């Protein structure tokens, strides 16, 4: 790896084998230690007490060196960061070629090093062309791509034809020409690229056949077919048992008998509470089970035709997150200070009374890359099928161009993931900038479109007035929801507090549930709705 870096990274020079102390000490100090880095290059800075002692300063990392820029008592350099621990030292080179090292620091590269598979799709007078030529080498060493391996998804409606042969095995080559059969449906094809170092990456795309004719979908806005027909069951894992992954897997047959096609898991990332205070985006909470348990749950659900959606929290972390705690300890000297959004006084920002949930700073490219990797990790490694994205409206306000970039990356990996915004389906932004579906809310944040139309307890709304109110609330009209809106509909969820049946009684709940399952959109049945049970998601130990 070092040799490759020396060949391809400009400005790198080999390290000398020995070091000795110069006559006049420069006393170099490199800033920071034990830092996570979400980039392949990092600006490393430090100071020196005697600049005159140094003819030059170099930053050494794993046997390779980068010349630093010196300005009075400060030095800095753009240093390549490899995956895993990087042990860095600053070296003062004196006028007599003697060298003085600084202390060592460790920067941990958190990004995986791999090429990037990219598929370009085109149609020309019948044949379909899949081209992997826009795939790119890894960002660090730029190792060339040596292999392009194509594969068709076994569940495709029928077999495509390539070079007169049915496409049932892997095919190698940069470009693929296919003839799609006149069988309607979605046809999925994946490309795996392998570079000279043996590292690999995969991408998947799909093409639609309608009326016997192939069509390239609008990948930025179009929904895969299963999403349009989805029936979601919202799961609070701890109410199913502990560990949650095993308990849910035990109940999969019952859930499949309900007719659901997807499960939305309440937050399962590492957290000290219900789940919206994230401590680690790449780990699971203690009472859910191991990663092996989660993988087994996903695979078992897929066998039963059930897809798995994770509840993900990209807007903020917990104030107990290690990065935020470091900012409290070190202030602006913390390498994570700029990971959090701040006001003009330098105070972290938050929404509502969520003082324990500091907003992340999406103007920081490391934060954006961290979050893209976090979402991608669960798709790549566990084959999850989508995400309910918590408080996505916050990132929309602060960095509106993030969500389109996010969508393209996730859809590049798995184009049939469901991307659900916890935001109003009346806001056109959500459907024009990354999401497949959004919430059944009014224009007011968090305000349920169905709320207030059912009456309270014995005070029933007269049927004619109820019908007129519901028409205005639920119809997908230009003055209401976005014209292409796919609406996520519900009677209960994690934020609705007291269950619908408790407020409105069993008879009205049956009517409302029939409406929920009949209207266009994605219906959500939440934990214990099918049994008419009462509980408050955040407070009660069990229904």
């Amino acid at each position: 790896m070092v040799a490759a870096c020396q060949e391809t990274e400009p400005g790198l020079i080999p390290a000398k084998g020995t070091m000795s102390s110069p006559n006049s000490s420069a006393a170099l100090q490199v800033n920071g230690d034990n830092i996570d880095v979400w980039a392949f290059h990092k600006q490393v800075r430090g100071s020196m007490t005697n600049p005159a002692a140094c003819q030059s300063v170099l930053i050494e990392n794993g046997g390779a060196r980068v010349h630093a820029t010196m300005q009075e008592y400060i030095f800095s350099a753009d240093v390549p960061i490899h995956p895993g621990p990087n042990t860095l030292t600053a070296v003062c080179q004196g006028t007599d070629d003697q060298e003085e090292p600084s202390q060592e620091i460790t920067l941990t590269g958190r990004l995986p090093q791999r090429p990037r598979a990219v598929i370009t799709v085109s149609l020309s007078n019948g044949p379909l062309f899949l081209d992997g030529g826009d795939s790119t080498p890894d960002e660090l060493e730029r190792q060339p791509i040596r292999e392009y391996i194509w594969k068709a998804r076994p569940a495709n409606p029928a077999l495509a034809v390539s070079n007169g042969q049915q496409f049932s095995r892997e095919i190698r080559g940069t470009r693929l020409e296919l003839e799609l059969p006149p069988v309607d449906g979605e046809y999925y094809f994946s490309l795996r690229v392998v570079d000279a170092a043996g590292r690999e990456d995969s991408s998947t795309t799909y093409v639609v056949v309608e009326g016997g004719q192939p069509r390239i979908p609008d990948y930025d806005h179009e929904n895969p077919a299963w999403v349009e027909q989805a029936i979601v069951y919202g799961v609070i894992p701890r109410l199913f048992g502990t560990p949650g992954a095993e308990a849910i897997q035990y109940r999969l047959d019952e859930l499949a008998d309900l007719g659901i096609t997807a499960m939305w898991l309440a937050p399962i990332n590492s957290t000290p509470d219900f789940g919206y205070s994230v401590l680690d985006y790449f780990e699971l909470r203690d009472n859910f089970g191991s990663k092996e348990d989660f993988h087994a749950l996903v695979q078992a659900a897929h066998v039963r035709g059930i897809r798995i959606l994770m509840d993900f929290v990209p807007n903020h972390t917990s104030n107990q997150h290690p990065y935020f705690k470091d900012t409290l300890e070190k202030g602006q000297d913390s390498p994570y200070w700029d990971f959090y959004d701040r006001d003009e006084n330098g105070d972290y920002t938050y929404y509502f009374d969520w003082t324990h949930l500091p907003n992340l700073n999406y103007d920081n490219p490391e934060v954006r890359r961290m979050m893209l990797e976090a979402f991608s990790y669960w798709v790549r490694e566990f084959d999850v099928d989508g995400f309910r994205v918590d408080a996505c409206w916050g990132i929309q306000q602060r960095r509106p161009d993030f969500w389109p970039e996010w969508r393209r990356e996730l859809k590049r990996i798995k184009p049939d993931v469901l991307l659900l915004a916890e935001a109003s389906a009346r806001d056109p932004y959500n459907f024009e900038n990354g999401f497949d579906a959004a919430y059944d809310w009014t224009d007011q944040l968090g305000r349920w479109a169905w709320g207030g139309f059912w009456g309270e307890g014995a005070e029933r709304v007269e049927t004619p007035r109820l019908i007129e109110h519901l028409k205005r609330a639920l119809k997908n009209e230009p003055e209401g929801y976005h014209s292409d809106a796919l609406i996520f509909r519900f009677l209960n969820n994690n934020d609705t507090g007291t269950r619908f049946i408790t407020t409105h009684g069993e008879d009205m709940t049956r009517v409302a549930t029939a409406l929920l399952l009949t209207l266009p959109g994605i219906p959500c049945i939440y934990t214990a709705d099918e049994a008419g049970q009462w509980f408050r998601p955040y407070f009660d130990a069990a229904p």
Side-chain angles (χ1 to χ4, degrees):
M1 182 179 293
V2 171
C5 270
Q6 292 169 353
E7 291 175 3
T8 58
E9 284 288 341
L12 293 185
I13 59 175
K16 291 193 174 183
T18 60
M19 292 184 181
S20 60
S21 297
N23 294 327
S24 179
S25 175
L28 272 65
Q29 180 78 20
V30 186
N31 298 342
D33 194 11
N34 297 322
I35 299 169
D36 284 348
V37 178
W38 295 94
F40 286 112
H41 289 81
K42 183 73 172 179
Q43 194 74 16
V44 176
R45 295 180 173 84
S47 60
M48 45 193 166
T49 59
N50 183 14
C54 301
Q55 185 175 17
S56 61
V57 174
L58 304 103
I59 308 294
E60 180 178 335
N61 180 14
R65 292 177 167 183
V66 179
H67 276 286
T69 300
M70 301 168 60
Q71 186 174 7
E72 296 183 343
Y73 294 90
I74 304 299
F75 61 86
S76 64
D78 187 54
V79 180
I81 301 297
H82 296 270
N86 293 251
T87 302
L88 274 63
T89 306
V91 178
C92 166
Q93 287 189 331
T95 55
D96 54 0
D97 275 346
Q98 290 182 317
E99 296 186 340
E100 177 186 355
S102 71
Q103 91 285 13
E104 291 183 345
I105 68 168
T106 300
L107 307 186
T108 300
R110 293 297 306 270
L111 295 180
Q113 187 179 354
R114 60 165 73 96
R116 187 171 188 269
V118 177
I119 304 173
T120 303
V121 185
S122 61
L123 280 169
S124 178
N125 298 322
L128 171 70
F129 294 95
L130 304 178
D131 194 337
D134 289 334
S135 301
T136 56
D138 71 282
E139 298 175 49
L140 189 59
E141 298 175 358
R142 310 296 296 174
Q143 292 280 358
I145 296 173
R146 298 300 191 199
E147 289 187 279
Y148 297 79
I149 305 161
W150 299 90
K151 190 174 182 179
R153 186 176 285 184
N156 281 346
L159 290 176
V161 175
S162 175
N163 296 323
Q165 301 293 320
Q166 287 189 324
F167 187 8
S168 58
R169 295 189 178 91
E170 291 183 346
I171 298 177
R172 282 169 164 76
T174 308
R175 198 164 186 255
L176 196 63
E177 179 180 344
L178 295 173
E179 296 177 18
L180 295 181
V183 180
D184 286 1
E186 293 174 344
Y187 291 78
Y188 288 82
F189 305 95
S190 64
L191 168 66
R192 180 164 58 93
V193 298
V194 184
D195 70 13
R199 293 181 290 258
E200 60 182 57
D201 183 49
S202 295
S203 176
T204 301
T205 192
Y206 75 102
V207 178
V208 177
V209 173
E210 291 178 343
Q213 298 298 316
R215 174 180 66 82
I216 299 174
D218 177 359
Y219 298 114
D220 284 344
H221 303 98
E222 195 163 331
N223 305 323
W226 84 266
V227 169
E228 298 281 349
Q229 303 299 322
I231 301 175
V232 174
Y233 188 95
V235 172
I236 302 176
R238 65 175 171 79
L239 297 186
F240 279 65
T242 302
E246 288 185 11
I248 296 167
Q249 186 171 343
Y250 181 77
R251 298 281 297 279
L252 281 178
D253 287 333
E254 296 175 39
L255 294 170
D257 288 344
L258 284 178
I260 68 167
T261 60
M263 280 196 303
W264 155 32
L265 303 179
I268 60 175
N269 288 122
S270 178
T271 177
D273 53 26
F274 185 88
Y276 296 104
S277 303
V278 180
L279 297 175
D280 192 327
Y281 290 100
F282 295 83
E283 296 296 335
L284 298 172
R285 59 190 305 151
D286 293 338
N287 63 356
F288 184 73
S290 68
K291 289 183 176 180
E292 290 76 17
D293 295 335
F294 183 38
H295 189 271
L297 169 61
V298 174
Q299 297 308 308
H302 286 174
V303 168
R304 294 163 174 79
I306 299 173
R307 303 186 191 232
I308 298 295
L309 313 177
M310 290 180 68
D311 199 332
F312 226 68
V313 190
N315 177 72
H316 50 258
T317 71
S318 167
N319 61 0
Q320 298 302 305
H321 192 286
Y323 293 174
F324 188 76
K325 290 174 71 175
D326 194 78
T327 69
L328 296 179
E329 178 184 345
K330 301 175 184 174
Q332 295 190 39
D333 290 333
S334 168
Y336 309 114
W337 176 264
D338 195 44
F339 272 48
Y340 291 91
D341 186 63
R342 300 186 180 277
D343 61 21
E344 62 276 8
N345 297 318
D347 297 324
Y348 72 90
T349 68
Y350 55 88
Y351 292 110
F352 310 116
D353 59 349
W354 301 346
T355 56
H356 63 301
L357 302 177
N359 291 331
L360 285 164
N361 175 22
Y362 277 79
D363 288 336
N364 185 329
E366 284 198 66
V367 169
R368 296 197 300 274
R369 190 63 181 267
M370 175 183 72
M371 203 54 65
L372 286 175
E373 288 298 328
F375 276 102
S376 301
Y377 172 77
W378 299 101
V379 178
R380 292 180 189 277
E381 304 299 329
F382 297 87
D383 200 22
V384 302
D385 303 287
F387 300 93
R388 179 263 190 192
V389 185
D390 183 72
C392 58
W393 42 267
I395 298 170
Q396 174 190 343
Q397 293 173 11
R398 304 194 307 276
R399 185 79 193 204
D401 63 342
F402 174 74
W403 292 124
E405 174 189 5
W406 163 82
R407 176 189 178 91
R408 292 186 187 106
E409 180 59 12
L410 289 184
K411 296 283 185 175
R412 180 187 72 84
I413 300 169
K414 188 173 183 177
D416 50 337
V417 290
L418 167 58
L419 304 178
L420 168 63
E422 192 214 11
S424 177
R426 296 174 187 257
D427 184 353
Y429 169 91
N430 296 306
F431 301 101
E432 296 167 2
N433 292 277
F435 292 96
D436 297 314
Y439 266 48
D440 199 1
W441 286 352
T442 67
D443 294 328
Q444 292 181 280
L445 190 63
R447 182 64 61 87
W448 185 35
W450 296 31
F453 298 134
W454 303 95
E456 297 291 337
E459 294 185 18
R460 300 299 183 194
V461 176
E462 295 178 1
T463 300
R465 187 160 64 92
L466 172 64
I467 291 172
E468 289 305 313
H469 285 176
L470 285 173
K471 280 182 180 179
R472 290 197 297 272
L474 305 177
K475 284 179 69 176
N476 191 4
E477 295 176 340
E479 64 270 18
Y481 294 100
H482 184 270
S483 59
D484 294 327
L486 182 60
I487 306 167
F488 186 71
R489 302 190 188 274
F490 54 88
L491 298 183
N492 298 303
N493 62 36
N494 55 298
D495 285 329
T496 48
T498 301
R499 303 295 87 181
F500 187 94
I501 194 169
T502 307
T503 304
H504 303 291
E506 181 177 336
D507 291 343
M508 187 64 82
T509 301
R510 290 182 179 275
V511 172
T513 303
L515 186 64
L516 175 77
L517 294 168
T518 304
L519 286 166
I522 299 177
C524 175
I525 304 297
Y526 206 67
T527 290
D529 279 354
E530 74 278 15
Q533 292 184 331
W534 177 90
F535 67 99
R536 297 165 300 172
Y538 294 118
F539 305 107
D540 295 313

